[in-house]
Amino acid sequence: MLGTGILKGMVETAKNFAGSYTDPANRLTTVEYPEQRIASKENARQFPFLVHDTEDPMKGLRCVACQICEKECPPQCIYIVKSKDKRADYKGQMQFYPATFDIDLSVCMSCQICVEVCPFESIKMDTEFELSNTDRFGGLLVNKHQLAKSNDHYRKIHPTEAGVSDAALAVEVAKAQAKAKADVEAKAKAAAEAKAKAEAAAAAGTAPAPAVPAGPKPSSPAASPAAAPAA
Amino acid sequence: MAELFQALDQFPVTLKHWLMSHASGVLPEWALPLVSAALSISPILAVFPLMFALTTVIERKGLGRIQNRIGPNRVGIPLTDIRLYGFGQFIADGIKSLIKEDVVPRAADKVVHFLAPIALLIPVLLTYSVLPFGKNMVPLDLPQTGLLFFFAVGASTELSVFMAGWSSRNKYSLLGAMRAIAQMVSYEIPLILSSLTVVMIAGTLSLTAIVESQSGVHFGFLHNWHLFTPWGFVGFCLFLTAAAAEANRTPFDLPEAESEIIAGYFTEYSGFKFAIFFLAEYLGLFAMCGLGITLFLGGWLPPFSFLGFIPSWCWFLGKLSALIVLFIWLRGTLPRLRTDQLMGFAWKFLLPMTLINLVVAAVWHLLGGSLPPVLRWAFCFGMLAVPYWLLGRGFEAKFTKREYRFAN
């Protein structure tokens, strides 16, 4: 009958109204924001930050100033100046580092493309959203000191992603270590061989020498040609 | 105790008499009617705009709760931590609208554009002059033409709405004004026809006499409100529907329809003129509710005779608040109608129902002495329920599986 739908709807809204007072925990979908906060979701993303591994943020930045993110950024909000010198990165390799790394907060559109293209796990998305500023010129240009945040922070805001990232880095480090070890072994082997050769050469040259005074003199001409092909 | 309540009940009247008796010695003869009129008007100008201000906050809070939100609860006393549950909001809004820039479009007809909000507010305020707010409390008692005056003055708001829409030289304003005219003219007919039943039964156009005609008592305690009769109940529902459309309230808010045409006929108004439109709209709604209370809900009479000690104006304001809450509740529940649904509902449902209701009121009156009350009630109710069911069938939502001819 006409009107029953209206009555049903009014009962529903009345339930909402009363429920918002009697059962606010389950009913209310919003909170009183500055005082109460909802923990941010793991997949939330707002603005990039630079990951560092050491106590001093500037020394431990993973960024190697390859400028891929700068080139890929759709609104072109990243500005990087490469350093003149090199320093050792987390796996001991000598790399450049960013002398300047600025992101324009007012231009960034939170697309995460910089994060996707970074081969060094060095730029990630932050969940911080209270980014308003009283200085609309300088305050909205975020420099590398403000961008640098520790890997622990990354583990805290995106635990799953950070696990994947850490594993990838661990693989890299393991590879580097394996390579270093192989290098060391190869070097050691080469050194050992060189040593053996040198020893053999020495044996060829010097071992008969003491034998000369030790052994009987007439045998020495025969011993020398025998040692020479061995060397 | 009874004298105290009696004194409270008649306090506004006695205060005015006391002031007038003092003024008559001081002021010249010709000034006295003016002072008397000013004294009658001032409570209306104080109470109803304040009620409007509180309603804006209560409406926002209520709608918030209906939508499972908290609603505004921040603005209190500045520079302190006192928040007053957000009831400082309307003061902030008022100050804001007072000091905002008043933008008039370059192509607008500036005189008409300026006059439109005034031409809307004045008739709305005039309608309050005939409403009885309490016992002996009617600013202008028109014994022959009270109801007629209300509708005649109330209908002139349509002119000012069109003035606003036309003078703005804006397509959204004009669309809103055209919608408003079509809607208000259509819904004026069921509005007047539904209140005509009361005039037929009470035999008078005077609103004070209509209230007094409801003062009889049923079963020793229940007052003889027109709502408690079948034609009164149906008439009240029809009246409320038409009143919502007249006041541009949801679900009939097509003239404003902010999701379609920005703000309708007051798109090009800003600052205080916008606030006046807003005020006039709410005051129009309150006046309609006041008329509905006077015609069907016994005016300032209490529902039960043993509650008669509570001052009469408290009853009027209480009923008014209840109706405002009902309208907020409806706004939180119903979506907006489409224009053809709006027109179809007015002409195919409301108009026939009001005409049938007129007949039923006549039958009710004629059956007065010949049938026992229960049978009379049931017979008249049946006379209304059957056409309601038959007419309503066409308006029920029909859900059929949609067929996509070309997509399949």
Side-chain angles (χ1 to χ4, degrees):
Chain A
M1 202 161 85
L2 183 72
T4 47
I6 294 175
L7 292 179
K8 260 187 224 162
M10 288 181 78
V11 169
E12 193 61 36
T13 46
K15 270 185 200 159
N16 278 356
F17 184 84
S20 73
Y21 286 101
T22 55
D23 186 19
N26 293 324
R27 280 280 179 179
L28 294 183
T29 50
T30 56
V31 296
E32 298 204 54
Y33 157 62
E35 292 90 20
Q36 291 170 284
R37 281 150 193 281
I38 301 173
S40 79
K41 295 276 184 292
E42 201 187 326
N43 286 342
R45 65 169 196 238
Q46 196 63 40
F47 190 67
F49 70 99
L50 295 174
V51 190
H52 68 80
D53 291 309
T54 50
E55 281 297 307
D56 180 8
M58 286 309 106
K59 288 214 174 96
L61 279 185
R62 288 180 187 170
C63 179
V64 299
C66 68
Q67 295 177 311
I68 294 176
C69 54
E70 187 184 19
K71 291 186 185 97
E72 292 288 339
C73 178
Q76 299 280 298
C77 67
I78 304 178
Y79 174 71
I80 302 173
V81 175
K82 200 180 267 192
S83 63
K84 295 277 187 290
D85 56 329
K86 286 189 175 184
R87 68 180 184 201
D89 67 357
Y90 64 99
K91 50 187 183 184
Q93 206 175 338
M94 294 310 281
Q95 296 276 22
F96 290 109
Y97 59 94
T100 308
F101 197 114
D102 293 338
I103 302 182
D104 193 336
L105 179 55
S106 58
V107 179
C108 177
M109 60 183 198
S110 310
C111 67
Q112 205 183 353
I113 285 177
C114 51
V115 178
E116 307 294 339
V117 299
C118 182
F120 300 96
E121 305 285 340
S122 69
I123 188 164
K124 295 291 172 192
M125 296 305 279
D126 203 351
T127 51
E128 173 69 44
F129 56 89
E130 286 156 320
L131 301 164
S132 55
N133 205 299
T134 49
D135 175 11
R136 69 190 167 115
F137 300 108
L140 293 177
L141 192 68
V142 188
N143 63 28
K144 66 173 179 177
H145 299 276
Q146 294 156 294
L147 284 170
K149 278 168 194 169
S150 72
N151 197 26
D152 290 336
H153 173 73
Y154 183 43
R155 285 189 192 121
K156 206 169 73 192
I157 58 172
H158 298 305
T160 318
E161 266 181 45
V164 174
S165 164
D166 284 347
L169 286 180
V171 168
E172 286 291 312
V173 170
K175 246 190 231 169
Q177 276 172 354
K179 194 164 171 256
K181 205 175 161 193
D183 283 353
V184 166
E185 271 169 11
K187 244 180 223 168
K189 204 177 164 193
E193 274 172 9
K195 202 177 165 193
K197 194 170 141 189
E199 269 169 14
T206 58
V212 173
K217 272 186 180 177
S219 68
S220 63
S224 293
Chain B
M1 204 62 184
E3 280 129 32
L4 175 69
F5 280 120
Q6 183 71 28
L8 261 181
D9 185 12
Q10 292 301 308
F11 172 69
V13 181
T14 44
L15 182 68
K16 189 193 163 190
H17 281 292
W18 182 79
L19 284 172
M20 282 307 291
S21 63
H22 280 258
S24 60
V26 185
L27 293 170
E29 192 69 21
W30 56 266
L32 286 178
L34 291 177
V35 173
S36 169
L39 285 176
S40 299
I41 291 164
S42 49
I44 296 174
L45 286 182
V47 169
F48 290 97
L50 183 71
M51 211 159 173
F52 152 71
L54 292 173
T55 303
T56 56
V57 182
I58 292 169
E59 179 157 33
R60 289 176 59 192
K61 288 174 89 76
L63 289 179
R65 290 285 172 177
I66 281 171
Q67 295 160 3
N68 285 331
R69 292 183 288 113
I70 295 167
N73 61 352
R74 297 267 153 188
V75 186
I77 299 167
L79 310 176
T80 62
D81 284 339
I82 304 163
R83 279 188 176 172
L84 306 174
Y85 297 99
F87 277 95
Q89 183 73 52
F90 69 88
I91 300 169
D93 286 347
I95 293 168
K96 184 196 77 172
S97 61
L98 262 176
I99 60 178
K100 261 177 108 168
E101 186 190 358
D102 177 34
V103 183
V104 181
R106 195 182 298 157
D109 186 337
K110 294 198 175 52
V111 179
V112 182
H113 190 266
F114 175 77
L115 284 176
I118 302 166
L120 183 62
L121 185 60
I122 287 173
V124 166
L125 285 174
L126 278 178
T127 55
Y128 282 85
S129 60
V130 289
L131 288 178
F133 302 108
K135 207 185 281 175
N136 307 326
M137 272 175 254
V138 53
L140 179 69
D141 192 9
L142 297 172
Q144 302 296 320
T145 53
L147 190 64
L148 188 65
F149 177 83
F150 187 97
F151 283 126
V153 171
S156 66
T157 55
E158 283 149 41
L159 175 70
S160 41
V161 163
F162 200 72
M163 276 165 74
W166 182 258
S167 66
S168 297
R169 184 90 57 118
N170 176 314
K171 58 187 166 191
Y172 300 112
S173 299
L174 192 57
L175 274 172
M178 277 154 58
R179 284 183 180 193
I181 294 289
Q183 175 178 326
M184 286 171 149
V185 169
S186 305
Y187 277 81
E188 200 121 276
I189 297 160
L191 185 77
I192 292 172
L193 284 179
S194 59
S195 28
L196 215 56
T197 51
V198 177
V199 178
M200 280 167 62
I201 298 294
T204 173
L205 279 167
S206 161
L207 291 173
T208 42
I210 286 173
V211 172
E212 273 150 23
S213 76
Q214 301 177 65
S215 63
V217 172
H218 284 305
F219 316 120
F221 64 94
L222 192 66
H223 262 299
N224 186 20
W225 292 4
H226 291 149
L227 181 73
F228 302 141
T229 60
W231 59 266
F233 178 73
V234 171
F236 181 63
C237 293
L238 294 170
F239 181 89
L240 272 193
T241 312
E246 278 291 293
N248 300 335
R249 288 288 299 188
T250 325
F252 306 109
D253 62 340
L254 286 104
E256 277 137 64
E258 56 277 285
S259 52
E260 303 163 26
I261 49 172
I262 307 174
Y265 52 86
F266 50 83
T267 300
E268 291 290 0
Y269 284 89
S270 52
F272 202 60
K273 285 184 196 160
F274 179 84
I276 287 178
F277 269 110
F278 209 45
L279 173 72
E281 191 153 282
Y282 273 82
L283 288 186
L285 177 72
F286 297 167
M288 280 295 171
C289 291
L291 185 68
I293 290 164
T294 307
L295 293 178
F296 297 100
L297 300 184
W300 39 263
L301 292 168
F304 308 112
S305 51
F306 56 82
L307 290 173
F309 62 88
I310 295 171
S312 54
W313 42 273
C314 288
W315 282 114
F316 184 87
L317 290 178
K319 288 170 191 174
L320 184 57
S321 311
L323 283 185
I324 290 168
V325 167
L326 178 70
F327 273 113
I328 294 172
W329 188 5
L330 279 170
R331 182 174 171 187
T333 307
L334 299 176
R336 188 184 303 133
L337 290 180
R338 225 166 45 213
T339 307
D340 62 322
Q341 292 170 334
L342 177 94
M343 288 297 155
F345 189 64
W347 295 107
K348 293 183 202 158
F349 182 79
L350 285 184
L351 186 63
M353 277 310 288
T354 46
L355 289 173
I356 291 163
N357 201 27
L358 279 179
V359 176
V360 172
V363 170
W364 171 270
H365 183 68
L366 292 175
L367 288 178
S370 54
L371 272 182
V374 180
L375 268 182
R376 181 192 181 201
W377 215 98
F379 180 70
C380 288
F381 189 78
M383 273 184 77
L384 285 161
V386 173
Y388 175 82
W389 179 71
L390 288 173
L391 284 170
R393 279 187 312 170
F395 291 93
E396 281 178 61
K398 289 185 258 325
F399 295 108
T400 50
K401 198 172 185 318
R402 184 180 283 189
E403 284 190 25
Y404 296 95
R405 277 175 57 212
F406 299 110
N408 287 335

